[in-house]
């Protein structure tokens, strides 16, 4: 029996309008900037020759806006919100505070914040479910920097650390090719640096 390939293209949202330079996390009201729109439109060119069957998005405004822009070149494809690809839940001591404040992940369970292992578990659960649901197809999922970095380092390096070798830039695309549930290859598009 021939094994079909399933491809999941994870896209980070475009740049966010953030003049106060705060760590916005899951706070509402943070939209993509003019540059973020341009970044999403540029990334949409990658998908013109792909056969995307479905688009998933984190429920936050910036990811929904990015998914909508990416989907404009794919008018036949619907967008579904999925909270498993949501931004990391951080303690209130970080959200809305200066980005200069040193951020760290809790190493013990905390109802107000996620550990890296928890983020990886929900992201991987999404991946497994979508491989089964969209077997042999290509899908897109618009998410956030930290969840995408955690998933990448877990799948590619088998590591769960916050010292990233690669961190997704705005509107970059991380494409994972699976045969069954086995990761066969990864390629990255529009990643700078």
């Amino acid at each position: 029996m021939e094994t079909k390939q399933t491809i999941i293209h994870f896209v980070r949202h475009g740049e966010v309008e953030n003049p106060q330079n705060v760590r916005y996390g899951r706070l509402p009201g943070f939209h993509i900037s003019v540059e973020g729109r341009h970044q999403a439109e540029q990334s949409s060119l990658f998908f013109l020759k792909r056969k995307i069957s479905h688009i998933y998005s984190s429920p936050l405004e910036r990811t929904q806006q990015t998914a909508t822009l990416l989907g404009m070149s794919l008018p036949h494809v619907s967008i579904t919100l999925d909270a498993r690809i949501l931004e990391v839940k951080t303690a209130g001591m970080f959200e809305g505070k200066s980005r200069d404040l040193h951020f760290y992940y809790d190493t013990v369970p905390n109802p107000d914040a996620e550990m890296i292992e928890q983020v990886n578990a929900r992201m991987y659960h999404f991946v497994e479910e979508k491989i089964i649901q969209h077997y042999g197809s290509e899908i897109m999922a618009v998410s956030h920097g930290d969840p995408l970095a955690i998933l990448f380092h877990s799948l590619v390096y088998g590591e769960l650390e916050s010292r990233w070798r690669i961190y997704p830039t705005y509107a970059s695309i991380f494409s994972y090719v699976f045969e069954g549930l086995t990761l066969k290859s990864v390629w990255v598009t529009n990643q700078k640096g």
Side-chain angles (χ1 to χ4, degrees), residues 36-53:
R37 290 184 62 82
H38 175 71
Q39 292 163 343
E41 289 164 358
Q42 287 299 115
S43 290
S44 72
L45 300 176
F46 170 85
F47 294 105
L48 288 176
K49 295 183 180 176
R50 310 300 312 181
K51 294 182 179 171
I52 303 299
S53 63

Side-chain angles (χ1 to χ4, degrees), residues 23-26 87-106 112-116 119 145-147 150 161-164 167:
R23 189 173 297 281
Y24 38 78
R26 292 185 176 184
E87 178 63 282
V88 172
K89 180 180 180 184
T90 59
M93 61 191 266
F94 295 114
E95 284 190 351
K97 307 296 190 299
S98 171
R99 292 182 81 70
D100 296 331
L101 179 66
H102 175 69
F103 174 77
Y104 59 88
Y105 282 92
D106 283 335
D112 296 323
E114 287 181 297
M115 297 171 29
I116 287 178
V119 177
D146 276 21
I150 290 167
E161 293 184 24
S162 58
R163 288 183 222 124
W164 319 119
Y167 191 86

Side-chain angles (χ1 to χ4, degrees), residues 151-193:
L151 181 67
F152 177 83
H153 287 83
S154 172
L155 289 175
V156 174
Y157 299 115
E159 297 174 352
L160 288 178
E161 293 184 24
S162 58
R163 288 183 222 124
W164 319 119
R165 298 181 197 197
I166 293 177
Y167 191 86
T169 57
Y170 292 120
S172 57
I173 305 161
F174 286 65
S175 302
Y176 299 89
V177 180
F178 294 92
E179 289 183 3
L181 294 174
T182 303
L183 180 63
K184 299 307 272 186
S185 64
V186 178
W187 71 88
V188 180
T189 309
N190 295 346
Q191 177 73 18
K192 297 167 181 64

Side-chain angles (χ1 to χ4, degrees), residues 13 16 24-32 57-68 81-83 85-89 95 122 142-144 147:
H13 60 78
V16 175
Y24 38 78
R26 292 185 176 184
L27 293 175
F30 283 88
H31 303 274
I32 60 174
S57 174
S58 154
L60 293 176
E61 291 100 329
R62 59 191 181 268
T63 46
Q64 289 189 59
Q65 290 172 326
T66 301
T68 299
L81 303 183
D82 194 308
I85 57 176
L86 187 59
E87 178 63 282
V88 172
K89 180 180 180 184
E95 284 190 351
R122 66 176 163 84
V142 184
S143 187
H144 306 269

